[in-house]
Amino acid sequence: MKRFVLAVVLVALVAAAAMAALAWRDVTVFRETPYGGPDEKVVVVPPGSSARAVIRALAQAGVLSDERVAWRYFRFVKRDRRTFRAGEYAFAGPLRPDEVIERVFRGEVKLYRFTVPEGLRAEEIAAIVARSGLASEAEFLAVARDPAVARALGVPYASLEGFLFPDTYSFARGSSARAIAEAMVARFDDEYRKAHALRAPGIALDEGRVATLASIVEKETGRVDERPRIACVFLNRLRIGMPLQTDPTVMYATMLRTGRWSKNITRADLLTPHPYNTYTTAGLPPGPIASAGAAALRAVLAPAQCKDLYFVSRNDGSHVFCPDLACHNAAVQRWQVEFFKRGAR
């Protein structure tokens, strides 16, 4: 009887050892084998989730191949006192379990990216943010137009117009419109500091006026090489008290008056007094008309040296610059009147 009991115990031990060996083999294969298809799989880890719940969610989403083996691996091999971080995670392609688990340990959440080109107004930027899915246009515009937010962020005007720096941004799901705007203003501050370090002697404009003039320069030309000279023209005009007479400010003024944006400027638009209409109001407008990029900021603070007071488009993105009215009228005749007459033939 005693021998029988020993034999049973021995068989049980052998069986247990065999099962343990098989289980360990499963864990080893699991650990070394990448798993998952090329399609993106999104997993949301709620705050306070247990390790078991996270492993289950990853397995059910098809990120880990086997929940049972994954949990065994986590408990007995992946021993770690760190906790999983809440958030939205995206996985794509064959991944080893360690790659998956470490990503959630580190909190490498899914990021939503959007790019803001130079020269856009706040409402245009709000539309881009909305397309990213991070915040609605209304939410973002409410922040951008809130004087209290502007004051808190050190913006010298009552809105963030002109201070939402054009760049590519990445944010996690759940980022607020305020957080997005703060990051954009912080980028402006960074680029302004860099441009300020290049400030030329005699340029006495403060930050707000620099942002305002840079926004006009940005809208007047898409050519980086021309911006310092465009800035020089406007600075020369300001110095002698000559109206800036720049069309982009008229379009902005018309939008503020009518609530509609249009690139078509009428004679009535030019003649209607408004603080942003630089044909009827001397000096700079009371704030930026768009968000300028780094090149335009640098152009205002370190402009070209010139005596020009005028510039005329060559209709190819470049301009002819003139120091006096006679030169300007000749350029207008050649590049506007005659150019379009030839095109009409």
Side-chain angles (χ1 to χ4, degrees):
M1 184 66 180
K2 187 175 181 180
R3 289 182 178 180
F4 176 76
V5 172
L6 289 174
V8 170
V9 171
L10 182 59
V11 169
L13 290 173
V14 171
M19 291 178 63
L22 289 172
W24 182 253
R25 186 195 65 182
D26 288 346
V27 167
T28 302
V29 171
F30 171 81
R31 179 178 189 174
E32 300 301 326
T33 305
Y35 179 78
D39 56 309
E40 183 180 76
K41 293 166 282 291
V42 176
V43 178
V44 175
V45 176
S49 297
S50 66
R52 185 63 185 263
V54 174
I55 295 297
R56 180 178 298 114
L58 292 168
Q60 289 177 347
V63 181
L64 297 176
S65 59
D66 186 302
E67 179 186 344
R68 179 181 55 84
V69 179
W71 179 240
R72 187 181 300 150
Y73 169 69
F74 182 80
R75 286 188 64 197
F76 297 109
V77 179
K78 192 69 177 175
R79 296 178 181 273
D80 204 309
R81 292 188 177 183
R82 292 178 293 171
T83 57
F84 288 121
R85 297 189 183 183
E88 182 183 48
Y89 296 86
F91 304 91
L95 298 170
R96 288 185 171 84
D98 278 346
E99 295 178 274
V100 173
I101 293 171
E102 285 295 325
R103 189 176 298 180
V104 188
F105 270 151
R106 291 191 295 264
E108 295 177 3
V109 296
K110 175 181 173 67
L111 295 178
Y112 292 80
R113 292 177 173 82
F114 62 87
T115 298
V116 176
E118 291 87 350
L120 297 190
R121 305 183 308 279
E123 62 266 24
E124 295 175 296
I125 295 171
I128 292 173
V129 173
R131 287 196 292 273
S132 75
L134 289 164
S136 70
E137 289 187 50
E139 289 171 332
F140 189 82
L141 275 179
V143 170
R145 293 171 174 169
D146 187 340
V149 173
R151 284 195 301 271
L153 298 183
V155 172
Y157 300 118
S159 80
L160 304 185
E161 185 79 274
F163 294 84
L164 301 167
F165 192 78
D167 203 348
T168 296
Y169 296 90
S170 300
F171 294 93
R173 175 74 73 188
S175 298
S176 67
R178 171 72 179 260
I180 295 169
E182 286 179 352
M184 299 181 78
V185 173
R187 281 288 295 117
F188 173 88
D189 291 340
D190 182 50
E191 290 301 329
Y192 179 78
R193 282 192 294 270
K194 293 177 184 177
H196 177 71
L198 304 173
R199 184 187 289 263
I203 304 300
L205 300 178
D206 60 20
E207 181 184 29
R209 289 163 65 82
V210 168
T212 300
L213 184 52
S215 72
I216 296 173
V217 171
E218 187 73 65
K219 298 297 285 186
E220 281 287 3
T221 180
R223 291 184 54 150
V224 173
D225 61 308
E226 281 195 348
R227 287 173 186 156
R229 196 164 181 182
I230 295 281
C232 175
V233 170
F234 288 132
L235 288 166
N236 286 344
R237 289 187 176 191
L238 288 172
R239 188 180 66 254
I240 65 174
M242 179 179 174
L244 296 184
Q245 295 184 324
T246 169
D247 290 353
T249 65
V250 178
M251 290 184 274
Y252 195 83
T254 302
M255 180 196 69
L256 293 179
R257 284 192 301 105
T258 67
R260 298 186 304 276
W261 174 260
S262 175
K263 293 183 179 180
N264 297 319
I265 299 175
T266 67
R267 180 172 176 78
D269 294 332
L270 290 171
L271 297 177
T272 301
H274 191 278
Y276 278 88
N277 182 351
T278 56
Y279 280 81
T280 62
T281 304
L284 285 168
I289 61 172
S291 286
L297 290 171
R298 290 195 300 269
V300 170
L301 285 165
Q305 296 297 309
C306 75
K307 296 181 179 179
D308 301 312
L309 292 172
Y310 304 92
F311 56 91
V312 176
S313 172
R314 288 194 182 96
N315 305 299
D316 63 356
S318 67
H319 295 82
V320 176
F321 293 85
C322 284
D324 55 53
L325 191 57
C327 170
H328 176 65
N329 287 339
V332 170
Q333 180 66 28
R334 177 181 179 183
W335 293 105
Q336 298 299 308
V337 179
E338 294 177 6
F339 180 89
F340 287 107
K341 277 185 179 178
R342 290 194 300 271
R345 291 172 186 168

